[in-house]
Amino acid sequence: MTDEDAYHEICAYTLTLGDAAFIHQHVVDAWAAQQATSASKPIKVCFAVLGLYLHAEHGFTGREVQLAHMHLARAPEAWPVGPLPSARGDITALQVLAAPPGAARDAMISAWAGAVWSAYLDHRPAIDAMLRRRGVLRTHS
C-alpha cells in the first residue's frame, strides 16, 4: 500500500464518522501541506497550512477551520505561501492508517496535523498576520 492509498483510506474513514468536529478537514490539510510541490496552487497550500496552524496552535476543530476557509475565500487575495520546507513532518498517512479506528486513529490524525504544521513554522508570521487582518482569530473564542 502506498502513502496515497493510505490517505484515501483515511478519507473514507473520516467521511463516514459524521462527527461534529469534522476531523476530515485535518486529514485534507495535513496531506495537502505534506505533499505540496512548486506546481501546487498557492490557495491550496496556504489554506492547508493555515488550517494546520489554526488546529495546532488555536485548537480549531475541522469544522471551524472549514468555516475560516469559507470566510477567507469570500475576498480572495495573494495567498502567502513562501518556500516549501524540504521535510514535512515525521508522521505519514501510512502511520495514521496503522492506528486502530476510533480514538487512537483520531489522535494520530491530530498528531499528523501537528507534525506537518511544525515543518511550516517559518510561515507562522505571515499566516498569523493574514488571519488577524482578516478577522479569523478575533472571531474565535
Side-chain angles (χ1 to χ4, degrees), residues 81-126:
V81 174
L84 298 173
S86 56
R88 313 257 180 84
D90 57 357
I91 297 175
T92 66
L94 283 165
Q95 292 169 306
V96 173
L97 187 62
R105 184 170 296 163
D106 297 355
M108 273 299 283
I109 289 168
S110 188
W112 181 28
V116 176
W117 164 244
S118 69
Y120 282 88
L121 283 175
D122 288 348
H123 293 70
R124 187 181 193 282

Side-chain angles (χ1 to χ4, degrees), residues 20-42:
F22 194 58
I23 65 170
H24 177 71
Q25 185 66 53
H26 306 315
V27 171
V28 172
D29 289 343
W31 179 259
Q34 199 167 51
Q35 301 299 318
T37 70
S38 60
S40 298
K41 292 185 179 196

Side-chain angles (χ1 to χ4, degrees), residues 32-92:
Q34 199 167 51
Q35 301 299 318
T37 70
S38 60
S40 298
K41 292 185 179 196
I43 189 172
K44 180 179 182 178
V45 179
C46 181
F47 276 32
V49 173
L50 73 85
L52 297 174
Y53 165 73
L54 290 170
H55 176 61
E57 294 202 17
H58 294 278
F60 276 43
T61 66
R63 182 71 61 212
E64 291 169 321
V65 168
Q66 186 181 49
L67 292 171
H69 288 163
M70 291 166 52
H71 172 78
L72 294 168
R74 284 188 200 112
E77 62 179 66
W79 306 112
V81 174
L84 298 173
S86 56
R88 313 257 180 84
D90 57 357
I91 297 175
T92 66

